[in-house]
Structures are given as C-alpha cells and as structure tokens.
Amino acid sequence: MARAIELSIENVRSGRGGPFAAVVVRDGQIIAEGVNQVTSANDPTAHAEVIAIREACKKLADFELKDCELYTSCEPCPMCLGAIYWARPARVYFANTAEDASRIGFDDSLIYKEAARPHSQRKIPMIPLMRDQALEAFRAWEEKGDKTRY
C-alpha cells in the first residue's frame, strides 16, 4: 500500500493525472503498477486500477489475477470495481474512501444512481436497438465448442 500511496502523490506532483495509483502483487512481489492517466492520455478509462490490471494480465499472460492482490490508493470507482471483479484478484486493499474522493471533487454517486434507473430515464439515454440481430453472436457463442470461458 505504501507504494500505491507514493505513486499517487508522485502522479499529482508530476502533473500527469489525478491522485490515484494501484499496485498488483503476487507472492509478495509487485507485478504491475498503474497511476491515473485520464488527462495525460485523454482517456476516461485510464484509471490506476485499470492500467495496473492490464499490465499485470499482460505480464502473467492471463486474463485473471486469481493469485494476486490489488492495492489501490482509493476505494475503486464503479468502472474500476467492474474491472476488478472481471479480473478476479484474491483480495483488494484500499486507502482513501469514496467519501474522501468525493470531498475533493471525485464523486461517483451519480453513476451509482444512474445504473439503478430504467434505461429511458438516464441522463445519457440508453436506447435498445437491433437486439434480434445481435442475439446471433450470443447463439454462436453458446454453440462454440472450443470457447475459453471467462
């Protein structure tokens, strides 16, 4: 955790991004590190946890981090929480809370509220389109005998 906190402070001081960092550890060794790069990369998905997960998966040549732990300088946002669950680490440690982040302008409560609303009532309209045609991909997946499940 000390390394994640150190990286988060360095990231702010360098001007590369927000005050967030994450470290993936396996067997006591750091596998990957990530810092927030949203503004420097012009990428809204370039959160520290996502970057650390991507790097760890590349190094381990696996899409799961089942034997790993994630240390993050702040409680994960909804996007990062989703990425964490898909990556399946053994556990996650966090330092700052979502409430701490909200106090300095990083408030994710809108996303949680929006996710609970019906599609038609969200601030960004979510409109179903061409479902029947899209279901063909799902049928193909169901029938595929040699798929890699995840």
Side-chain angles (χ1 to χ4, degrees), residues 31-150:
I31 302 298
E33 299 176 339
V35 295
N36 179 281
Q37 297 175 22
V38 169
T39 56
S40 59
N42 292 317
D43 179 353
T45 69
H47 288 204
E49 296 91 337
V50 171
I51 291 170
I53 288 168
R54 287 175 181 164
E55 289 303 311
C57 288
K58 280 183 201 172
K59 285 185 182 174
L60 298 173
D62 198 346
F63 57 84
E64 291 184 340
L65 299 175
K66 56 186 170 242
D67 298 326
C68 298
E69 297 174 324
L70 178 70
Y71 293 82
T72 180
S73 64
C74 187
E75 185 175 354
C77 75
M79 177 184 70
C80 293
L81 189 60
I84 288 165
Y85 273 94
W86 282 115
R88 299 175 180 93
R91 65 190 48 82
V92 176
Y93 300 95
F94 64 92
N96 291 312
T97 66
E99 187 176 283
D100 297 330
S102 179
R103 277 196 290 271
I104 63 163
F106 296 95
D107 186 2
D108 298 323
S109 63
L110 170 72
I111 299 169
Y112 288 109
K113 289 175 190 169
E114 286 291 294
R117 292 177 186 221
H119 296 133
S120 62
Q121 294 178 13
R122 293 181 182 170
K123 289 186 186 278
I124 299 174
M126 304 280 168
I127 304 159
L129 186 65
M130 297 182 69
R131 178 173 177 251
D132 290 338
Q133 293 86 340
L135 284 171
E136 180 60 32
F138 283 11
R139 284 190 288 276
W141 176 258
E142 283 183 311
E143 295 167 4
K144 186 170 176 57
D146 61 345
K147 61 189 165 204
T148 301
R149 294 191 180 272
Y150 62 98

Side-chain angles (χ1 to χ4, degrees), residues 8-34:
S8 70
I9 295 166
E10 287 175 10
N11 203 49
V12 171
R13 292 186 176 148
S14 73
R16 288 188 300 259
F20 306 100
V23 176
V24 177
V25 174
R26 185 170 78 174
D27 299 326
Q29 299 295 313
I30 293 176
I31 302 298
E33 299 176 339

